[in-house]
């Protein structure tokens, strides 16, 4: 089964790098989910939580702002905590 490559970084450090099944992010127009083969997108993120599932289970991360880029099953999140 194919998975997304997720990378979450903040100005201070790398918060997560790994393979996930899906990612939920707090977009500026509302929460949305990213699955395998998602269309390319760049979007601003608002205050809220990022939720992702990997082999260890479900993880949540509270953020205050940021942006997301999705391209070729790679998801990059640059966030402020």
């Amino acid at each position: 089964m194919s998975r997304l490559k997720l990378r979450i970084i903040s100005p201070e450090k790398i918060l997560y790098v790994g393979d996930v099944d899906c990612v939920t992010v707090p977009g500026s127009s509302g929460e949305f989910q990213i699955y395998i083969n998602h269309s390319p997108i760049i979007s601003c993120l608002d205050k809220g939580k990022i939720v992702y599932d990997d082999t260890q289970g479900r993880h949540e991360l509270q953020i205050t702002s940021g942006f997301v880029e999705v391209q070729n099953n790679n998801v990059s999140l640059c966030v402020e905590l």
Side-chain angles (χ1 to χ4, degrees), residues 5-66:
K5 303 282 186 199
L6 176 62
R7 187 172 92 155
I8 305 173
I9 61 169
S10 73
E12 294 81 25
K13 63 181 177 175
I14 296 171
L15 301 169
Y16 179 84
V17 175
D19 295 337
V20 299
D21 295 322
C22 70
V23 183
T24 303
V25 296
S28 57
S29 296
E31 182 179 275
F32 66 94
Q33 293 180 319
I34 301 163
Y35 289 96
I36 195 80
N37 297 324
H38 194 284
S39 298
I41 187 174
I42 295 176
S43 179
C44 292
L45 300 176
D46 280 344
K47 184 176 182 178
K49 67 180 170 184
I50 295 168
V51 180
Y52 55 96
D53 298 312
D54 64 11
T55 57
Q56 304 299 315
R58 177 163 286 207
H59 306 275
E60 296 183 1
L61 177 66
Q62 282 294 136
I63 65 166
T64 58
S65 65

Side-chain angles (χ1 to χ4, degrees), residues 66-77:
F67 69 88
V68 59
E69 178 184 22
V70 180
Q71 189 168 0
N72 298 324
N73 293 319
N74 291 293
V75 180
S76 297
L77 297 168

